[in-house]
Amino acid sequence: MRGRVVMGLSFFFMGGFIMMLIVKNYRTLQTVQDTRVLTSDDTSGGKNVLKPVCKVDFTNVYSMDLTTWSKNNKVCSECQNFIKATLKTPYGNTPIFVYPAAQDPWVSGILISSGHFEAEKSSIMFDLLKSDPELNLIDIGANIGVYTLSAAKMGRKVLAVEALDRNVRHICASVAGGGLQDKVTLVHNAISNSNGVVNLGVDKNNMGGTFVDVDSDHIKKLKEGRAQGTYGTVHTIKMDDLLKIPGIENFKKVVVKMDIEGFEAKAMEGASLFFEKIKIVGFIMEWEFHRKQKTADTILKFMSKHNFIPHSLSSAKQKLDYTKSESWGYDVLWLPKG
């Protein structure tokens, strides 16, 4: 009887010890799941692999409130769930952290399946940058960083501006994952014609379609019912404000890529000093939301005043007719006269 009691007590304590291990392992598993990255390095459709990740080794992130630039140490500090894909560039592959394809089919889905996005526009950007080894990129409306990472992989400095915080976190992870920290300065603000606070509108199933929800009725109409809800608020800055950000001395001669979902005219209204101080050899601008809109007139007058001529965004770079801007393509390439 005594032996049975001793044996029973032994099993009791052993069982308690095993339960402690199970609880501990479960808590550890929870932590791993909360900080995991879903990788998809095999873009041909191979198995996705879960990997834990938390800290991001990239701190060159800035934000501006109504008056002052400061380091933003918060936006990329939290653990996130990401999908890790591979961005293929002429200068080598680099990791890019994307959204699930079902959530963002237009950009993330294409990157997961092919490793490329907007190949023709990227080719134009590369051609412009190759024309001068001193040229760097200013990427306004960086989304999850396709152009930012591509130019950085090329060895150029990049000043990337993105309004949506979750996109900023994707860029931080991608920059760190590719070892490109010395090439990229990231700004978490929206670009406008004044300093203030705005709401960011949701484009359902298109993370790159996030828009500033100010005077945006025609933008919502063009989105054909996909504009649903808000992501919250963000501070706005002018392009002129970029002249005061630390490190701007690296961007005296640049290519600019701007894709801010119909807010390009507002951006131009706050960019006069920027165009005077920065030598811009090429300006790639989304045009889709300006066809047959008053915003087209604002942009045309501004660019004409600063001696830029519109061209098609193709290898031919054909000059476009100012009087037929309603029939221009989705994007336009502005080149300086002469």
Side-chain angles (χ1 to χ4, degrees):
M1 185 71 173
R2 181 181 176 185
R4 291 180 183 177
V5 171
V6 171
M7 186 176 295
L9 288 172
S10 297
F11 278 113
F12 174 80
F13 287 115
M14 186 178 294
F17 178 72
I18 292 172
M19 285 299 297
M20 288 175 62
L21 288 176
I22 291 173
V23 170
K24 182 178 180 181
N25 287 335
Y26 174 73
R27 288 174 177 169
T28 302
L29 180 60
Q30 276 191 316
T31 301
V32 170
Q33 289 175 333
D34 287 344
T35 61
R36 68 191 183 181
V37 167
L38 180 61
T39 64
S40 182
D41 293 318
D42 180 2
T43 56
S44 64
K47 287 186 177 180
N48 293 318
V49 181
L50 292 175
K51 293 183 180 180
V53 70
C54 193
K55 294 182 179 179
V56 175
D57 181 23
F58 180 62
T59 59
N60 200 24
V61 185
Y62 291 86
S63 291
M64 184 177 180
D65 56 19
L66 297 178
T67 58
T68 307
W69 283 108
S70 61
K71 270 287 188 77
N72 188 333
N73 296 317
K74 183 178 179 181
V75 65
C76 292
S77 65
E78 299 178 0
C79 302
Q80 301 294 325
N81 296 330
F82 293 135
I83 295 176
K84 183 182 177 185
T86 299
L87 176 63
K88 300 175 182 179
T89 84
Y91 302 91
N93 296 345
T94 192
I96 183 167
F97 289 83
V98 301
Y99 294 94
Q103 181 182 352
D104 184 37
W106 303 112
V107 180
S108 297
I110 293 172
L111 284 166
I112 291 170
S113 64
S114 70
H116 300 281
F117 181 70
E118 294 185 335
E120 187 171 44
K121 190 189 292 189
S122 295
S123 178
I124 296 297
M125 179 193 73
F126 285 131
D127 286 346
L128 290 168
L129 290 173
K130 284 190 297 185
S131 68
D132 186 339
E134 295 183 359
L135 279 172
N136 291 316
L137 177 70
I138 296 182
D139 186 1
I140 299 176
N143 191 12
I144 58 173
V146 171
Y147 295 92
T148 290
L149 298 170
S150 296
K153 191 67 178 176
M154 187 181 181
R156 303 306 173 92
K157 296 282 188 181
V158 184
L159 177 58
V161 183
E162 174 55 39
L164 185 60
D165 53 2
R166 61 195 71 188
N167 285 346
V168 171
R169 288 191 280 269
H170 279 74
I171 298 172
C172 285
S174 298
V175 169
L180 301 171
Q181 295 94 323
D182 63 329
K183 301 298 183 186
V184 178
T185 299
L186 184 52
V187 173
H188 177 213
N189 284 105
I191 294 286
S192 185
N193 58 352
S194 62
N195 301 96
V197 178
V198 294
N199 282 307
L200 293 178
V202 175
D203 186 334
K204 186 179 179 182
N205 294 331
N206 182 8
M207 299 305 299
T210 303
F211 60 98
V212 175
D213 198 357
V214 175
D215 299 328
S216 56
D217 287 347
H218 78 284
I219 296 172
K220 293 177 181 177
K221 184 177 180 180
L222 285 170
K223 290 182 179 292
E224 299 177 334
R226 300 193 315 273
Q228 301 178 12
T230 179
Y231 286 117
T233 61
V234 66
H235 278 94
T236 60
I237 60 171
K238 303 184 297 294
M239 287 185 69
D240 290 348
D241 292 322
L242 295 174
L243 297 173
K244 299 178 182 179
I245 194 171
I248 192 61
E249 62 274 8
N250 295 313
F251 300 94
K252 295 299 183 184
K253 191 188 299 186
V254 302
V255 173
V256 178
K257 184 229 94 182
M258 177 178 283
D259 180 349
I260 51 178
E261 298 296 294
F263 223 60
E264 288 81 6
K266 294 287 188 184
M268 295 300 95
E269 290 175 353
S272 293
L273 191 59
F274 180 91
F275 271 71
E276 291 177 13
K277 299 293 184 180
I278 304 294
K279 183 176 181 180
I280 302 170
V281 303
F283 198 120
I284 300 169
M285 179 186 291
E286 187 178 48
W287 193 254
E288 176 185 4
F289 296 101
H290 305 294
R291 300 188 193 119
K292 299 180 181 180
Q293 301 295 327
K294 293 180 179 179
T295 53
D297 294 334
T298 300
I299 296 171
L300 294 173
K301 290 176 182 178
F302 180 90
M303 298 304 274
S304 177
K305 177 182 177 181
H306 289 86
N307 297 313
F308 279 81
I309 300 173
H311 294 71
S312 64
L313 194 70
S314 67
S315 57
K317 299 185 182 70
Q318 294 177 324
K319 289 184 180 180
L320 296 174
D321 188 339
Y322 263 92
T323 65
K324 298 180 179 179
S325 64
E326 72 280 357
S327 62
W328 292 356
Y330 281 95
D331 300 283
V332 61
L333 171 63
W334 297 93
L335 296 175
K337 288 182 180 179

